[in-house]
Amino acid sequence: MVQATPFLLVLSLALVAPSFSARKCVLTGHWINDLGSNMTIKALNGKGEFAGSYHTAVTATTNEIQVSPLQGSQHHTNEKSQSTFGFTVNWSFSDAITVFTGQCFVNKEGKEVLKTMWLLRSYVDMIKDDWKATRVGTNTFHRIHPQK
Ligand code: BTN
């Protein structure tokens, strides 16, 4: 009976301890940003590379918006719980490309948040218009269907 007490103590610590550790921010899943754009990131491969789809809520063009493919990679570290990443969206309905770079955070409410900056390169016919071809901005993404 006396030996059972330390065992039960270790067992209860082992069961409770995981809830104290920092939650990992995971890129895979469904996300929505502050503009109302939706993004799905598929499972990462062994090198941290991923593919997915992006449904933007806004466009700099007059074209009809279509869901567009994205490709990216997460920094190759397993230890970090809040990894850096980048991805490119090759727009299906315009001649533009957007590159996003950011970091996957767990905020103080325990929710995953992607803080990103982007560069949107639009097509221009002439080199003299190059100066106006690139827009810059930020987007914050929240998970739509939080993982349990
Ligand atoms: C285009 O207008 O040529 C393509 C769509 C660009 C949408 C931009 S990308 C950065 C910003 N964040 C979004 O979710 N949508 C806009």
Side-chain angles (χ1 to χ4, degrees), residues 29-83:
H30 303 285
W31 303 88
I32 188 165
N33 74 17
D34 46 299
L35 292 170
S37 300
N38 285 269
M39 167 173 81
T40 298
I41 296 181
K42 294 193 252 182
L44 278 63
N45 70 17
K47 292 191 280 186
E49 298 161 343
F50 58 85
S53 58
Y54 201 106
H55 191 178
T56 181
V58 296
T59 174
T61 71
T62 54
N63 302 342
E64 187 182 335
I65 291 170
Q66 291 172 20
V67 177
S68 301
L70 71 80
Q71 285 191 306
S73 58
Q74 177 181 259
H75 195 272
H76 56 82
T77 173
N78 291 327
E79 310 88 61
K80 294 268 189 298
S81 59
Q82 302 192 119
S83 59

Side-chain angles (χ1 to χ4, degrees), residues 84-87 99-103 114-119 137 139:
T84 54
F85 63 87
F87 63 86
V99 290
F100 287 82
T101 185
Q103 189 168 351
L114 308 182
K115 297 293 284 187
T116 70
M117 281 198 80
W118 52 261
L119 290 172
N139 280 136

